[in-house]
Amino acid sequence: VGMIIPRIEELKQILNGHYIINILLSLAFIVTRGTFLCSHVFWFSQICEIDSREREILMFLAVIIVWKGRRASNWLHYLSTVFMFSKLANLILFFRADLILGAIYSVLLLLQMVVFPEPVYNGPENVTYFQGQELFEELTKKNGTTWIIEFYASWSPECRHIAPVFAKLSEKLSLPNMKFGKLDLGRWPNEASRFYVNNAATSRQLPTIAVFQEGKEVVRRPVVKNQRAVPFVFSEENCIRELGLWEMHSKAKDAKKKSGSGDKKKN
C-alpha cells in the first residue's frame, strides 16, 4: 500500500492537463448522473439515479482497479491503471444510457489522447543511453564495470511507467564501476535478438532489466520460463531485492576502494 501513496511534493506531478482531464473523464458519468447536470445531460430520460445494472458495472470497476493495482510499479502507474479502466467503464455506461452520449464521450477520449498525452518522465537520472551495437561493444570490454541495463521500447506504456523507478535507482546506486544504461529495442530491433528479449507489441518482456558483470548476464527480470515471461512488478523495492542491487553496490564500492588504495601504493 505504501508504494502507491504519493508524498506531498510528488502530487505536484499531476497538476497538468493530462491528469486533470483524465480525472474529469473518469468521474464523468457519476458526476453528470448525480448532480444538477443530470437534467441537462440525460434530458431525454430525466432519470437521475444510478440503477442496479450501473451499480454492478461500477462495483466490477472497483474490483478490477484493486486487482490491477497490485501490479503497479509506482503511484503514477497505479493512477494510469485507474484512468484506463474508469474511462472504459464510463464509455460502457454512456453508450448504455444513449448512443449519442456514448459517441460524444468517445470523441472526448480521442481528443484527450491527442491533445493531452501522458507526460514523459524528465526528472534527474544517471543513465547512459546506448544506440545500436554500442551496448554490446561496451560489454565486450570486460573492464570490471557492472552494468544494470533496461531494455525498453518508447511506444510501450509499461516502459514509460517504470522510467521514474529506473531513474531513482540510477541516482541512488550509480558508482564509477556500477552504471545504469538503457537500450531502445523498438528503435534497434536487431539488438533484441542479441540479448534474447522479445520486442513484439504483445510481448510481456518489455521492459526487461538485466545485470551484466564482466560482460556476462547474471540476472534479469522478468525471467522467461517455457517461452513465457513471469510477471514482475518493477517497483523500486522489488528491483533492489530481486536483482540484488544493494549487494552489488557494496561490492562495487569495496572494489573501488581497493583499486584506489592500490593506485596510491604504486605512486
Side-chain angles (χ1 to χ4, degrees):
V1 177
M3 176 192 70
I4 59 174
I5 298 178
R7 295 188 296 270
I8 294 177
E9 60 269 20
E10 292 179 322
L11 289 172
K12 296 178 181 178
Q13 297 179 54
I14 66 173
L15 297 179
N16 61 59
H18 171 79
Y19 292 106
I20 293 172
I21 296 299
N22 269 283
I23 290 171
L24 294 175
L25 289 173
S26 298
L27 298 174
F29 187 83
I30 293 177
V31 170
T32 55
R33 194 68 142 171
T35 67
F36 68 93
L37 296 173
C38 179
S39 58
H40 301 285
V41 176
F42 299 95
W43 58 270
F44 49 87
S45 65
Q46 295 296 317
I47 297 176
C48 292
E49 295 181 357
I50 296 176
D51 62 32
S52 58
R53 181 56 60 87
E54 290 167 349
R55 288 195 190 95
E56 290 177 2
I57 294 174
L58 292 172
M59 286 297 296
F60 183 69
L61 167 65
V63 171
I64 291 294
I65 288 174
V66 171
W67 176 256
K68 290 292 186 179
R70 295 165 64 248
R71 296 189 57 191
S73 57
N74 53 66
W75 75 276
L76 285 176
H77 187 185
Y78 178 73
L79 199 57
S80 176
T81 301
V82 171
F83 289 154
M84 179 176 66
F85 286 101
S86 295
K87 290 187 292 186
L88 178 60
N90 274 266
L91 186 64
I92 294 171
L93 290 168
F94 276 119
F95 264 118
R96 181 176 178 274
D98 183 71
L99 292 178
I100 295 177
L101 287 179
I104 293 172
Y105 188 77
S106 299
V107 172
L108 292 176
L109 292 181
L110 290 174
L111 287 174
Q112 176 267 307
M113 292 174 62
V114 174
V115 181
F116 297 102
E118 186 172 4
V120 177
Y121 177 79
N122 60 357
E125 62 180 8
N126 193 352
V127 176
T128 300
Y129 285 81
F130 292 99
Q131 299 184 24
Q133 300 183 51
E134 290 178 353
L135 174 60
F136 175 73
E137 293 169 355
E138 175 63 30
L139 294 176
T140 57
K141 294 178 182 178
K142 299 182 181 180
N143 54 9
T145 300
T146 295
W147 279 99
I148 298 90
I149 301 296
E150 179 194 337
F151 297 103
Y152 74 106
S154 56
W155 48 259
S156 167
E158 293 298 317
C159 294
R160 288 198 297 271
H161 292 147
I162 79 156
V165 174
F166 197 75
K168 287 181 181 179
L169 291 173
S170 71
E171 286 282 294
K172 183 184 296 185
L173 299 173
S174 288
L175 292 169
N177 56 345
M178 180 174 174
K179 300 179 181 181
F180 288 74
K182 298 178 76 167
L183 179 62
D184 188 347
L185 299 184
R187 187 178 179 186
W188 310 103
N190 291 338
E191 299 305 298
S193 300
R194 188 196 301 276
F195 291 101
Y196 305 103
V197 179
N198 184 346
N199 66 334
T202 57
S203 173
R204 297 293 182 90
Q205 295 181 44
L206 290 174
T208 286
I209 296 180
V211 178
F212 297 87
Q213 293 179 329
E214 292 297 325
K216 295 182 179 179
E217 181 183 316
V218 294
V219 62
R220 76 162 57 192
R221 290 292 184 276
V223 296
V224 178
K225 293 183 178 179
N226 299 323
Q227 298 184 335
R228 297 188 66 179
V230 178
F232 182 76
V233 178
F234 286 95
S235 66
E236 187 176 343
E237 296 81 2
N238 282 353
C239 290
I240 289 174
R241 183 179 61 252
E242 296 294 323
L243 298 172
L245 297 184
W246 273 127
E247 293 81 357
M248 292 179 189
H249 184 265
S250 298
K251 291 179 180 178
K253 187 180 290 186
D254 291 341
K256 185 62 180 176
K257 288 180 180 178
K258 291 178 181 179
S259 174
S261 62
D263 293 338
K264 288 181 180 179
K265 289 179 181 179
K266 290 179 180 179
N267 292 334

